[in-house]
Amino acid sequence: MTLLEDLLAEHRLLPVLTVAGSDNGCHLGRALLAGGLPLTEVTLRVDGALDALEAMAALDDLVVGAGTVVTAEQVDRVVDAGAAFVVSPGLGTAVVDRCRQHGIPVLPGVATASDLLRAVEAGIDAVKLFPADLLGGPAAVKAFAGPFPAMRFVPTGGVRPTNVSAYLSHPAVLAVGGSWLAPPELVDAGRWEDITRRTAAAVRQLDDDSERRA
Ligand code: 3PG
């Protein structure tokens, strides 16, 4: 497994953030760390996202990737800002090739068997399954994992506390991603303690799940 796959498999949760500015980035990064989660993705969906990413990437112990990366030029910008990995909603050769040039791990999005075939052809062994809920939820993972047994998935889109465990119980799922741990309304309101509480609750839920399985 790559370093990114190892991190995903270890922490199993990838908060997808919409956050602007370095102050908010720092608060949010610390809130996630306080909740026990040292891994996150900052999406390029708002002005100021790169500032947030840069500030978060400078925090000790936090591994910060960039999300919603859809062009090669954005790959250059997030690498400059200190991103440790790149997530894309789809599978595009421009993004994947530029990530490889920079030597930065990339998690491209797939939504069909044809996307998965292209991922295999491109030598990719872990993908974001997006939008997972609309594709059928945990049943979609099972369906796609059948013909692609070596592929590892990070379902994202519609992941909530009620379906996290079902996704993660499939052996092909490395981690789940989503905005529920730090939704934009909590971030915009500066409700950092609520975000820490949600994060800690999710981490606890996963610990309980693994104890039950042991
Ligand atoms: C993403 O870009 O990964 C999704 O917007 C996250 O989906 P969610 O908001 O349903 O968690």
Side-chain angles (χ1 to χ4, degrees), residues 16 41 43 45 68 128 130 156-160 177-180:
V16 175
E41 168 193 335
T43 60
R45 292 192 191 171
T68 326
K128 165 176 173 163
F130 178 75
T156 308
V159 177
R160 297 291 173 265
S179 63
W180 88 98

Short mmCIF file of all heavy atoms in Angstrom, two decimals, residues 16 41 43 45 68 128 130 156-160 177-180, ligand 1:
data_model
loop_
_atom_site.label_atom_id
_atom_site.label_comp_id
_atom_site.label_asym_id
_atom_site.label_seq_id
_atom_site.Cartn_x
_atom_site.Cartn_y
_atom_site.Cartn_z
N VAL A 16 -14.06 15.97 4.90
CA VAL A 16 -14.01 16.81 3.70
C VAL A 16 -14.44 18.21 4.11
O VAL A 16 -15.57 18.43 4.55
CB VAL A 16 -14.95 16.24 2.61
CG1 VAL A 16 -15.00 17.16 1.41
CG2 VAL A 16 -14.50 14.84 2.19
N GLU A 41 -9.04 16.62 4.42
CA GLU A 41 -9.00 17.09 3.03
C GLU A 41 -9.67 18.46 2.96
O GLU A 41 -10.79 18.64 3.41
CB GLU A 41 -9.78 16.08 2.17
CG GLU A 41 -10.08 16.55 0.77
CD GLU A 41 -11.12 15.66 0.07
OE1 GLU A 41 -11.26 14.46 0.43
OE2 GLU A 41 -11.82 16.17 -0.82
N THR A 43 -11.19 21.22 0.55
CA THR A 43 -11.66 21.34 -0.83
C THR A 43 -11.40 22.74 -1.38
O THR A 43 -11.45 23.73 -0.64
CB THR A 43 -13.17 21.05 -0.93
OG1 THR A 43 -13.87 22.01 -0.12
CG2 THR A 43 -13.50 19.66 -0.46
N ARG A 45 -13.21 24.83 -2.90
CA ARG A 45 -14.57 25.24 -3.30
C ARG A 45 -14.87 26.68 -2.96
O ARG A 45 -15.91 27.19 -3.35
CB ARG A 45 -15.61 24.37 -2.63
CG ARG A 45 -15.55 22.98 -3.16
CD ARG A 45 -16.73 22.18 -2.73
NE ARG A 45 -16.44 20.81 -3.05
CZ ARG A 45 -17.16 19.80 -2.68
NH1 ARG A 45 -18.23 19.99 -1.94
NH2 ARG A 45 -16.82 18.58 -3.03
N THR A 68 -11.42 18.36 -4.40
CA THR A 68 -12.07 19.07 -5.51
C THR A 68 -11.03 19.63 -6.47
O THR A 68 -11.18 20.73 -7.00
CB THR A 68 -13.01 20.20 -5.00
OG1 THR A 68 -13.62 19.81 -3.76
CG2 THR A 68 -14.14 20.46 -5.99
N LYS A 128 -11.73 7.22 -4.86
CA LYS A 128 -12.87 7.77 -4.13
C LYS A 128 -14.13 7.29 -4.87
O LYS A 128 -14.22 7.46 -6.09
CB LYS A 128 -12.76 9.30 -4.16
CG LYS A 128 -13.99 10.07 -3.78
CD LYS A 128 -13.69 11.57 -3.78
CE LYS A 128 -14.98 12.37 -3.57
NZ LYS A 128 -14.72 13.75 -3.15
N PHE A 130 -17.69 8.12 -5.63
CA PHE A 130 -18.42 9.37 -5.46
C PHE A 130 -19.47 9.54 -6.55
O PHE A 130 -19.16 9.34 -7.72
CB PHE A 130 -17.43 10.54 -5.52
CG PHE A 130 -18.09 11.88 -5.40
CD1 PHE A 130 -18.55 12.35 -4.18
CD2 PHE A 130 -18.24 12.69 -6.52
CE1 PHE A 130 -19.17 13.58 -4.07
CE2 PHE A 130 -18.85 13.93 -6.42
CZ PHE A 130 -19.31 14.37 -5.20
N THR A 156 -17.52 8.36 -0.59
CA THR A 156 -17.73 9.75 -0.15
C THR A 156 -18.99 10.27 -0.83
O THR A 156 -19.26 9.94 -1.99
CB THR A 156 -16.53 10.62 -0.58
OG1 THR A 156 -15.33 10.01 -0.12
CG2 THR A 156 -16.62 12.01 0.00
N GLY A 157 -19.72 11.10 -0.09
CA GLY A 157 -20.98 11.63 -0.63
C GLY A 157 -22.13 10.95 0.08
O GLY A 157 -22.43 9.79 -0.19
N GLY A 158 -22.73 11.68 1.04
CA GLY A 158 -23.85 11.10 1.78
C GLY A 158 -23.45 10.17 2.91
O GLY A 158 -24.29 9.45 3.45
N VAL A 159 -22.17 10.18 3.28
CA VAL A 159 -21.76 9.35 4.43
C VAL A 159 -22.18 10.07 5.71
O VAL A 159 -21.98 11.28 5.86
CB VAL A 159 -20.24 9.10 4.42
CG1 VAL A 159 -19.82 8.31 5.66
CG2 VAL A 159 -19.82 8.37 3.16
N ARG A 160 -22.81 9.32 6.61
CA ARG A 160 -23.34 9.87 7.86
C ARG A 160 -23.05 8.87 8.98
O ARG A 160 -22.74 7.71 8.69
CB ARG A 160 -24.87 10.06 7.74
CG ARG A 160 -25.31 11.06 6.69
CD ARG A 160 -24.94 12.51 7.08
NE ARG A 160 -25.21 13.45 6.00
CZ ARG A 160 -24.34 13.87 5.09
NH1 ARG A 160 -23.10 13.39 5.11
NH2 ARG A 160 -24.66 14.74 4.16
N GLY A 177 -15.13 9.17 3.42
CA GLY A 177 -14.93 10.61 3.45
C GLY A 177 -16.25 11.33 3.56
O GLY A 177 -17.29 10.78 3.19
N GLY A 178 -16.21 12.55 4.07
CA GLY A 178 -17.46 13.30 4.09
C GLY A 178 -17.39 14.57 4.91
O GLY A 178 -16.43 14.80 5.66
N SER A 179 -18.43 15.37 4.75
CA SER A 179 -18.46 16.69 5.39
C SER A 179 -19.16 16.66 6.74
O SER A 179 -19.19 17.67 7.43
CB SER A 179 -19.16 17.69 4.47
OG SER A 179 -20.50 17.30 4.27
N TRP A 180 -19.73 15.51 7.14
CA TRP A 180 -20.57 15.52 8.34
C TRP A 180 -19.80 15.83 9.62
O TRP A 180 -20.37 16.34 10.58
CB TRP A 180 -21.35 14.20 8.45
CG TRP A 180 -20.64 13.10 9.18
CD1 TRP A 180 -20.81 12.74 10.49
CD2 TRP A 180 -19.63 12.21 8.66
NE1 TRP A 180 -19.96 11.69 10.80
CE2 TRP A 180 -19.24 11.35 9.70
CE3 TRP A 180 -19.02 12.06 7.40
CZ2 TRP A 180 -18.28 10.36 9.52
CZ3 TRP A 180 -18.07 11.09 7.23
CH2 TRP A 180 -17.70 10.26 8.27
C1 3PG B 1 -17.16 15.63 -1.53
O1 3PG B 1 -16.82 16.48 -2.33
O2 3PG B 1 -16.38 14.73 -1.23
C2 3PG B 1 -18.56 15.64 -1.04
O3 3PG B 1 -19.18 16.86 -1.31
C3 3PG B 1 -18.74 15.29 0.38
O4 3PG B 1 -20.05 14.81 0.44
P1 3PG B 1 -20.97 15.02 1.71
O5 3PG B 1 -21.11 16.53 1.89
O6 3PG B 1 -22.28 14.38 1.35
O7 3PG B 1 -20.30 14.39 2.88
#
